[in-house]
Amino acid sequence: MKKKSFPLANVYGLLETGPVVLISTSHKGIPNIMTQSWHTMIEFEPPLVGCVISGNNHSFAALKATKECVINIPTVELAKQVVAAGNCSGRKVDKFARTGLTPVPASLVQAPLVAECYANLECRVVDTRLVNSCNFFILEVVRAWIDPAVKDPKTLHHRGKGKFMIAGETLKLPSRMK
Amino acid sequence: MKKKSFPLANVYGLLETGPVVLISTSHKGIPNIMTQSWHTMIEFEPPLVGCVISGNNHSFAALKATKECVINIPTVELAKQVVAAGNCSGRKVDKFARTGLTPVPASLVQAPLVAECYANLECRVVDTRLVNSCNFFILEVVRAWIDPAVKDPKTLHHRGKGKFMIAGETLKLPSRMK
C-alpha cells in the first residue's frame, strides 16, 4: 500500500469539510461497510469524532459489540460504490464483494481499511452515553493513513436522495483559526 | 426579506454536506455571531443538529443561558466575513458591526437571522448531556428559511487554517438513500 501514516493532530482537516465516508467494521470475522454523512469533529487531539449510526444499520450491532471501526474517505471516482454500499444491507449482502472495494488489514483495530479510499482513520469507541437515545457514538481516531499523492481530494458531500456535491476549488484566506 | 419558509423535513440536506456556518445568538439584548464547522445532523424530523461550541467562545455562555440560536449558512461571497467572524471574540467586538453582516429578527427565537446567508435555521437547545464533557449541544430546528433563488449553493467547507473548499458541481445518482 502506498499510504503513509498521517499525524493525528491534522485529522480534523479531513473531516470538518463534511465528506461522505465509508465506515467499515468487522464482527465475528465478517467485514462490512456502510455509507455515512452524519459525523462531526468533537476534539482536535486526540481526535474525537461523533457519528450517528442508526439502529437499523447492520453496522450498529458490530460497532456496539466490537467498539472498533475505520472511517474511510472516498473521492468522486468511488461515487458508484458509495451509493451501492448505501443501498443494501450487510445483513443480506457481502458489501465488499458487491461493491468490488478491497478490505486491507488495519494496524490497531480488527475492522479493515478500504484500500481505494484516499484516507483511512482507525477508530475506537470511547463514549456511548448518547447511543441509546440518539444512536450517537464518540470515536477516538487512534491511527490515520493517507495517500500522499492526493492534495485537494474531490470528496463527495451528500445533499440528500443521491444528490452529491463534489468538492470544488480551494480558497485560502489569512486566518488565525485552527 | 425575500426568504421563504423551508420544510423542516428537508433541513438535513442543507447541513449534511458539512458547510461552515455562522451561529448567531442574543444574550441580554446583545447579538453575536461565531464561525463554526463542527456540526452533524442527528435526526431527520424534527431536525436535530449536534454542534460543538467551545467554552472559550463567547457564544457558549449565550447558548447555555438562552438555549436559543440560529444556524446561518453562508456562501462563498461571504468568505471574508466568515473569516472575520472567526478571528475576533464577541467578548470584545460587536461582530455584526465588524463584519457588516445584518441581523434580522427571527420568528420563534430571540437570536437574529443573518440576512446575507442563503439559509437560516432557528434552533432551540434540547439536550445538554454532553455539554460539560464535550461542549456538545443538541439543537432542534424549529423554523427554517431559505432564499429560493439559490439552487446549488456555493457553500464553504473548512480544511483548517483558513483553507476553504468551495462547493463544486453536483452529481445525481440513482439511490434509495434519504
Side-chain angles (χ1 to χ4, degrees):
Chain A
M1 190 165 68
K2 61 189 170 182
K3 291 205 182 120
K4 289 194 172 163
S5 187
F6 185 72
L8 293 181
N10 296 344
V11 161
Y12 74 96
L14 304 180
L15 287 180
E16 75 172 54
T17 59
V20 174
V21 299
L22 295 171
I23 296 184
S24 49
T25 51
S26 180
H27 189 27
K28 299 178 182 170
I30 301 172
N32 190 25
I33 24 178
M34 70 172 280
T35 301
Q36 211 268 7
S37 290
W38 289 14
H39 55 76
T40 177
M41 289 305 302
I42 292 207
E43 186 53 85
F44 287 105
E45 201 177 1
L48 298 182
V49 181
C51 98
V52 177
I53 295 183
S54 153
N56 298 328
N57 287 108
H58 191 52
S59 302
F60 179 87
L63 193 55
K64 226 176 157 184
T66 65
K67 296 193 177 298
E68 294 181 348
C69 66
V70 178
I71 299 174
N72 306 276
I73 312 181
T75 41
V76 65
E77 300 79 18
L78 301 174
K80 280 185 186 169
Q81 290 91 326
V82 163
V83 172
N87 281 279
C88 58
S89 169
R91 214 170 278 121
K92 296 177 184 169
V93 174
D94 174 345
K95 291 215 217 178
F96 278 100
R98 168 76 65 100
T99 59
L101 294 170
T102 314
V104 171
S107 67
L108 297 177
V109 300
Q110 292 298 312
L113 314 180
V114 176
E116 290 82 359
C117 290
Y118 89 98
N120 313 93
L121 312 174
E122 301 185 23
C123 297
R124 291 206 181 98
V125 175
V126 292
D127 191 315
T128 57
R129 279 178 288 168
L130 297 193
V131 168
N132 286 342
S133 56
C134 305
N135 298 317
F136 188 76
F137 294 83
I138 301 183
L139 311 172
E140 178 180 338
V141 181
V142 293
R143 194 82 194 261
W145 303 97
I146 204 156
D147 177 348
V150 178
K151 294 301 178 203
D152 284 314
K154 298 272 173 211
T155 44
L156 296 162
H157 301 257
H158 196 224
R159 293 197 196 281
K161 300 178 182 171
K163 211 175 153 191
F164 295 92
M165 176 273 279
I166 304 167
E169 53 181 320
T170 296
L171 177 71
K172 176 85 178 78
L173 289 174
S175 171
R176 288 191 300 275
M177 286 189 284
K178 194 167 178 181
Chain B
M1 191 165 66
K2 61 191 169 181
K3 292 205 182 118
K4 288 194 173 164
S5 188
F6 185 73
L8 293 180
N10 297 343
V11 161
Y12 76 95
L14 304 179
L15 287 180
E16 74 172 57
T17 60
V20 174
V21 299
L22 295 171
I23 296 184
S24 50
T25 50
S26 180
H27 190 26
K28 298 177 181 171
I30 300 172
N32 190 26
I33 23 177
M34 71 172 280
T35 301
Q36 211 267 8
S37 290
W38 289 14
H39 55 77
T40 178
M41 288 306 300
I42 293 207
E43 187 53 85
F44 287 105
E45 200 176 1
L48 299 182
V49 182
C51 98
V52 177
I53 295 183
S54 154
N56 299 326
N57 287 109
H58 192 51
S59 302
F60 179 87
L63 193 55
K64 228 178 155 182
T66 66
K67 296 194 179 297
E68 293 182 348
C69 67
V70 178
I71 299 175
N72 306 276
I73 313 181
T75 41
V76 63
E77 301 78 19
L78 300 174
K80 281 186 185 170
Q81 290 91 326
V82 164
V83 173
N87 281 278
C88 58
S89 169
R91 214 170 278 120
K92 296 176 182 168
V93 173
D94 175 344
K95 291 214 216 178
F96 277 99
R98 169 75 66 100
T99 58
L101 294 169
T102 313
V104 171
S107 67
L108 297 177
V109 301
Q110 292 296 313
L113 313 180
V114 177
E116 291 81 359
C117 290
Y118 89 98
N120 313 93
L121 312 174
E122 302 186 22
C123 297
R124 291 206 182 99
V125 175
V126 291
D127 192 315
T128 58
R129 280 178 288 168
L130 297 192
V131 168
N132 287 342
S133 56
C134 304
N135 297 318
F136 188 76
F137 295 83
I138 300 183
L139 311 172
E140 179 180 336
V141 181
V142 292
R143 193 84 196 260
W145 302 96
I146 204 155
D147 178 347
V150 178
K151 293 301 177 200
D152 283 314
K154 297 272 171 211
T155 44
L156 296 162
H157 300 257
H158 195 223
R159 292 198 196 280
K161 299 178 182 169
K163 212 174 152 190
F164 296 92
M165 176 272 278
I166 304 167
E169 53 182 321
T170 296
L171 177 71
K172 177 84 179 76
L173 290 175
S175 171
R176 288 191 301 273
M177 285 189 286
K178 194 167 178 181

